[in-house]
Amino acid sequence: QSALTQPASVSGSPGQSIIISCTGIGSDVGAYDYVSWYQQHPGKAPKLMIYDVRNRPSGVSNRFSGSKSGNTASLTISGLQAEDEADYYCSSYISSRTLVVFGGGTKLTVL
Amino acid sequence: QVQLQESGPGLVTPSQTLSLTCTVSSGSISRGNYYWTWIRQPAGKGLEWIGRIYTTGSTNYNPSLKSRVTISVDTSKNQFSLRLSSVTAADTAVYYCASALLQNPEGFDYWGQGTLVTVSS
């Protein structure tokens, strides 16, 4: 299966908002509301930030929000902070094939 | 809160079998609401879902690895394991174990710290 498509990098200044996109096809992102987003700092395990398109786990800042339109899911980070600088990955569940696929990852730089 | 810890050899010889174990603490692996999952990440690259197991023993594998992968569970030890056969240098990666609720199958809420496995002679 092909990985979901994410931009390789995005950047923003402190206080600004950024959006990271995650594009799939009709059988993954477009088919179900099973899209998650992960934050990964260097040398660390990924951390779940958003699940089921728009839900935040307990303890995750409300500066992080998710949405979906058609075959593209998006992660919005508002009020950028230096600590947000990390790699971000999306994932989607493909029910018909009973598997999970990840995006290629996006490096967020806080200028 | 579930805690996961990977263990196993950090170096595997090409063509041999990679074997890793994930120990689950702060809760029973037999709880019926989790998928127990393996994910890997080559250095400087993205995440790859390897496969998962449910407490019943039911498994699902990444089609690209299916012929070489076996995931099993040992409820008496609160562990689940990964075996990847016929390894090559391309299998060198940090291997993570993780959990996902049944109702959120793509949302891996708990992760181990990861273990680096190098395939080299």
Side-chain angles (χ1 to χ4, degrees):
Chain A
Q1 78 291 359
S2 300
L4 306 176
T5 300
Q6 297 181 233
S9 63
V10 298
S11 63
S13 299
Q16 288 186 331
S17 295
I18 64 94
I19 298 174
I20 300 173
S21 62
C22 171
T23 301
I25 57 178
S27 61
D28 44 52
V29 173
Y32 309 95
D33 284 345
Y34 287 142
V35 177
S36 288
W37 290 91
Y38 300 86
Q39 176 191 67
Q40 186 179 35
H41 287 109
K44 300 295 186 180
K47 175 186 177 183
L48 180 64
M49 306 301 285
I50 297 287
Y51 66 95
D52 293 358
V53 176
R54 57 183 57 82
N55 296 313
R56 275 189 310 276
S58 174
V60 173
S61 170
N62 59 10
R63 297 187 299 106
F64 292 83
S65 62
S67 62
K68 190 184 84 167
S69 177
N71 294 336
T72 298
S74 298
L75 172 70
T76 299
I77 308 175
S78 58
L80 268 180
Q81 299 178 1
E83 66 205 51
D84 299 332
E85 186 163 293
D87 293 326
Y88 290 84
Y89 294 90
C90 62
S91 72
S92 178
Y93 183 65
I94 307 178
S95 178
S96 62
R97 300 182 64 188
T98 320
L99 60 85
V100 174
V101 63
F102 285 96
T106 298
K107 181 176 180 58
L108 169 62
T109 300
V110 180
L111 302 171
Chain B
Q1 174 162 323
V2 176
Q3 293 181 320
L4 305 171
Q5 177 68 59
E6 305 90 350
S7 60
L11 180 64
V12 181
T13 303
S15 80
Q16 299 302 303
T17 297
L18 176 160
S19 295
L20 296 174
T21 296
C22 182
T23 300
V24 180
S25 56
S26 301
S28 172
I29 199 170
S30 298
R31 65 183 71 186
N33 56 339
Y34 270 108
Y35 289 116
W36 306 101
T37 304
W38 287 98
I39 295 165
R40 70 181 183 179
Q41 184 174 35
K45 296 187 178 180
L47 301 165
E48 181 179 32
W49 184 83
I50 299 171
R52 68 184 186 186
I53 190 165
Y54 185 53
T55 51
T56 59
S58 173
T59 54
N60 301 108
Y61 300 130
N62 187 323
S64 68
L65 299 170
K66 187 173 183 178
S67 63
R68 300 193 292 130
V69 172
T70 302
I71 297 176
S72 58
V73 64
D74 186 336
T75 56
S76 67
K77 295 182 179 180
N78 232 33
Q79 296 174 334
F80 64 106
S81 299
L82 168 70
R83 287 174 58 84
L84 181 65
S85 64
S86 305
V87 297
T88 69
D91 295 309
T92 294
V94 174
Y95 285 75
Y96 295 100
C97 56
S99 62
L101 288 167
L102 266 62
Q103 60 265 40
N104 313 121
E106 90 299 353
F108 303 108
D109 50 359
Y110 297 107
W111 295 68
Q113 65 185 23
T115 187
L116 175 62
V117 178
T118 302
V119 178
S120 175
S121 55

